Amino acid sequence: MSRKRKKLGDILVAWGILDSKSLDNAVLTAANSNRRLGETLIELGLAKEEQITKAMATQFDLEYVDLDQHVLDRAALDLMPEELIRRHMVLPMGKENGRLKIIIHDPLDLDTMDLLRFRLNTELECALASKSKIKRYIDTFMDSVHSSLDATVDELHKTIDASIDASIDLDAISEKDMGDDSAPIIKLIDKIIGEAVKLRASDIHIEPMADRVRVRYRIDGSCVERDNIPKRLQPVVMTRMKIISGMDIAERRLPQDGRIKQNFGGQDIDFRVSALPGYHGESIVLRILRPESVRVGIQALGFAEEDYERFLKIIKRPNGIFLVTGPTGSGKTTTLYAALQELNRPDKKIITAEDPVEYNFTGMNQCQVRADIGLTFSIILRSMLRQAPNIILVGEIRDLEVAEIAIQAALTGHLVFSTLHTNDAPSAITRLIDMGVKPFLVASAVQAIMAQRLVRNICKECREEVLEPDQKLLSLLDLNIQDLGEKKMYYGKGCSRCNNTGCRGRIGIFEMMLMNSEIRDLAFQRAPTNKIRKAAIANGMRTLMEDGKYKIFEGITTLEEVAKVAQVE
């Protein structure tokens, strides 16, 4: 009789990683979201990926391999085609007794095991490693993107250096570029895009300078310079970018917008492309739109427990306006999409008005603003109210007309989500009134306002304690070294996983203001922002700075990151 396999949750409880109550909650969450328990535990922050992997190795009686400590033999990697390694995220370790030993990340993926046995015509012996470490190993030791990009740039330099006449050289490259898929220019553009995707960049900046064309990636909110393209290649680089994004290659005086869709690692990724004429020529920016970046779920946004419960209560109200405020790039759209996904059920009708529609979601009716044909926010809003929606998303409240229609929709029984550009939550009330919205409408329609910013996470692989905090940064956040007591702060030393930046990924800091009778009275009286702020804090609002401090002491982010976006007045 075969031995009964232990459950994953029971193993983690026995190891002291989880308690029974946390396990029960995670099991319920996993069942409701139709996800595996291990994925749910990682998402909820109850266990780390390595702990889950080790527990699964124990559960399935497999060898656990730590790829940070284990370097595979290069000859072993040649035992399997690179295409299979990349597609199925597996690593060959070697052959023993006629069996191929491979490292996998999912012992339940039996279909992949059967496919590999068939393709390789051999029996398999499996070991287990975490998916992120397998991917990192492939990217580090097998990926040739960095080297091939550098080689392509060197090839272009040699092409130019070998030429005596610059104009002849440029013409020759232009013809080749437009007619041959193996041309250096085409390879260069493809590799720039491919490298940016692999490095988790959100934007690619191609910027003409006086003597060169600079290429930069924005990773976790910060620009990183990658390389310089020779100035002589500027025309063909820009032409190539325009061709693949569907722009008019002859128009160089006016701004243009385009889109690219490419497949990377089996996933279709959209790029929103913008061309802007400048002094040294057109600069081009590609915004990388990853579907998974806005499907993170509410739990992963970074709410403290109290704010998380408030957020869920607000978005499940039957009517009213919920506003998210902050500057461009502060994650407002991601937050609103997370809320809509929570509410996206067959019994609810959701309509959005966006400019532009960046991500497509099943079950939602998404409408794109097109000002060139007169399809504005206000016209879409008026029409969508005749479609009998339960929930409405307005991409941004830009003027009085849109604000009034949104408020009327909220007062007639609709739940309305929208964004506004203000520095903090209390300022949104005065901003709406300054737009011309009547104070009594603001007081009655708005249910809650949330301000947010994004800060970089400390890399978990190289996190170290700060022994001597910077006094200037402490004073900016109204902290005193004597008041810290036993509280600890951390920073990222820098490692290969975070490209020596010390940070990997970003998380939100939030300021959530719920409307109550006192704040509604202040809005009705056109009270200044500072009075509304005092009332909100007395009502339990945690400010951006306070939420940032909480995440500093939890070891999530650094003093510098919070000081960039929130400082004491």
Side-chain angles (χ1 to χ4, degrees), residues 195-247:
E195 182 182 77
V197 170
K198 293 195 177 210
L199 291 176
R200 303 176 301 102
S202 59
D203 302 272
I204 304 169
H205 299 262
I206 301 174
E207 305 161 315
M209 303 282 160
D211 57 346
R212 67 193 194 281
V213 178
R214 182 170 67 175
V215 178
R216 295 193 291 173
Y217 303 147
R218 187 179 294 278
I219 302 171
D220 294 333
S222 297
C223 280
V224 179
E225 188 162 333
R226 173 61 184 94
D227 214 327
N228 294 310
I229 299 172
K231 183 71 174 175
R232 294 179 193 177
L233 293 179
Q234 180 178 325
V236 286
V237 167
M238 298 306 171
T239 300
R240 177 64 187 164
M241 291 302 307
K242 286 182 175 181
I243 287 171
I244 62 176
S245 58
M247 296 183 192

Side-chain angles (χ1 to χ4, degrees), residues 6-128:
K6 274 189 174 183
K7 292 184 178 179
L8 180 68
D10 293 340
I11 294 171
L12 293 168
V13 170
W15 288 359
I17 294 168
L18 287 179
D19 56 45
S20 299
K21 186 179 177 183
S22 300
L23 175 61
D24 292 341
N25 291 336
V27 169
L28 187 62
T29 304
N32 290 337
S33 59
N34 197 25
R35 299 181 71 179
R36 290 186 183 178
L37 177 60
E39 294 173 358
T40 304
L41 289 169
I42 294 168
E43 186 180 293
L44 296 175
L46 296 173
K48 295 179 180 177
E49 186 183 17
E50 287 307 300
Q51 293 171 330
I52 297 293
T53 306
K54 287 177 182 177
M56 287 172 67
T58 301
Q59 182 186 19
F60 289 91
D61 197 22
L62 295 174
E63 178 189 348
Y64 166 75
V65 178
D66 185 351
L67 287 170
D68 285 340
Q69 311 294 329
H70 193 110
V71 178
L72 300 181
D73 184 3
R74 179 71 214 186
L77 295 175
D78 295 333
L79 293 171
M80 187 182 293
E82 186 174 337
E83 172 252 336
L84 288 179
I85 291 174
R86 290 183 181 282
R87 186 192 302 170
H88 301 294
M89 286 286 194
V90 295
L91 286 168
M93 293 180 73
K95 261 197 168 181
E96 285 182 21
N97 302 322
R99 287 172 170 259
L100 177 63
K101 189 172 183 180
I102 63 170
I103 301 173
I104 61 172
H105 62 86
D106 183 1
L108 291 171
D109 190 358
L110 302 179
D111 289 341
T112 296
M113 296 301 103
D114 289 340
L115 184 145
L116 291 174
R117 284 189 191 95
F118 177 76
R119 285 285 302 271
L120 302 170
N121 192 25
T122 184
E123 283 301 310
L124 302 176
E125 181 183 336
C126 296
L128 209 59

Side-chain angles (χ1 to χ4, degrees), residues 397-405 407-408 420 427-443 523 526:
I397 293 179
R398 296 179 178 175
D399 52 42
L400 175 61
E401 187 178 13
V402 174
E404 285 184 332
I405 299 169
I407 283 174
Q408 289 300 327
L420 204 60
S427 301
I429 290 177
T430 50
R431 175 69 185 277
L432 287 171
I433 293 171
D434 289 343
M435 274 185 182
V437 181
K438 293 179 175 59
F440 75 90
L441 290 175
V442 175
R526 295 176 181 262

Side-chain angles (χ1 to χ4, degrees), residues 108-174:
L108 291 171
D109 190 358
L110 302 179
D111 289 341
T112 296
M113 296 301 103
D114 289 340
L115 184 145
L116 291 174
R117 284 189 191 95
F118 177 76
R119 285 285 302 271
L120 302 170
N121 192 25
T122 184
E123 283 301 310
L124 302 176
E125 181 183 336
C126 296
L128 209 59
S130 63
K131 186 176 181 180
S132 62
K133 286 191 177 179
I134 292 175
K135 184 179 185 304
R136 198 188 326 155
Y137 197 96
I138 292 170
D139 289 344
T140 305
F141 293 98
M142 297 191 66
D143 198 2
S144 57
V145 170
H146 280 77
S147 57
S148 62
L149 178 55
D150 293 332
T152 306
V153 174
D154 289 342
E155 183 183 344
L156 289 169
H157 275 291
K158 288 174 185 174
T159 306
I160 292 172
D161 293 340
S163 172
I164 298 171
D165 188 334
S167 62
I168 294 172
D169 169 59
L170 188 59
D171 289 341
I173 293 174
S174 298

